[in-house]
Amino acid sequence: MKDYDKMRLCSLAAEAQRSAYSPYSGYKVGAAIITDDGSIYTGCNIENAAYGPTVCAERVAIFKAVSDGKRNFRAIAVAGGDLSNGAPPCGVCRQVMNEFCTEDFEILIVKGQGKAFDSFTLGELLPHSFKLN
Ligand code: THU
């Protein structure tokens, strides 16, 4: 599998954060996911007055890709809040990643005001995951 530009994926996640629709929490999240053919899909969190329909940035990016016929992913970058310490993905988003990705799928958490990132694998963030077998 070809390498990819991790800092660029982080920048795209931070850029997508600007589209966040979060009038209720005031918390903005952006995500950018890269497929194994090098396509990149971005997402932002989209909230709702009824709260329950709210979707996270990561799932918006993943669902945009899947609805475009892409199901093989290399990595996702997530940019949340003030980009100081980084915002790891919620449990529901980890489970959605688990639907399409293997344990070595890379999760980049943007931090340091967008100049740095932490890197984890899905296996590290969702150990002993549920999968139908
Ligand atoms: N949020 C995300 O977009 N991704 C996550 O992984 C965690 C939370 C959003 C949902 C909601 O709009 C806001 O952040 C506050 O929870």
Side-chain angles (χ1 to χ4, degrees), residues 40-131:
I40 293 175
Y41 292 84
T42 59
C44 61
N45 55 329
I46 305 171
E47 298 187 345
N48 188 276
Y51 290 19
T54 292
V55 281
C56 293
E58 298 89 323
R59 274 177 287 151
V60 171
I62 293 166
F63 294 159
K64 279 169 71 176
V66 172
S67 66
D68 208 17
K70 314 282 177 153
R71 294 182 188 167
N72 298 309
F73 302 109
R74 288 184 201 179
I76 191 167
V78 184
D82 66 5
L83 299 186
S84 52
N85 296 321
C90 79
V92 170
C93 289
R94 294 178 199 198
Q95 183 65 29
V96 170
M97 291 171 197
N98 198 54
E99 185 70 23
F100 299 103
C101 307
T102 49
E103 278 189 347
D104 61 351
F105 176 69
E106 191 169 18
I107 299 165
L108 307 173
I109 314 289
V110 182
K111 64 176 193 179
Q113 275 63 48
K115 293 184 166 58
F117 57 82
D118 286 327
S119 168
F120 300 96
T121 63
L122 181 59
E124 287 173 321
L125 295 191
L126 194 68
H128 310 288
S129 69
F130 175 73
K131 268 192 175 165

Side-chain angles (χ1 to χ4, degrees), residues 1-77:
M1 197 178 276
K2 272 196 336 201
D3 212 2
Y4 63 95
D5 187 340
K6 297 182 185 186
M7 212 50 241
R8 174 160 182 266
L9 202 63
C10 289
S11 300
L12 291 171
E15 203 177 302
Q17 202 183 12
R18 293 208 289 265
S19 300
Y21 175 74
S22 51
Y24 307 104
S25 73
Y27 192 79
K28 294 177 184 293
V29 186
I33 192 163
I34 183 164
T35 67
D36 66 353
D37 68 7
S39 308
I40 293 175
Y41 292 84
T42 59
C44 61
N45 55 329
I46 305 171
E47 298 187 345
N48 188 276
Y51 290 19
T54 292
V55 281
C56 293
E58 298 89 323
R59 274 177 287 151
V60 171
I62 293 166
F63 294 159
K64 279 169 71 176
V66 172
S67 66
D68 208 17
K70 314 282 177 153
R71 294 182 188 167
N72 298 309
F73 302 109
R74 288 184 201 179
I76 191 167

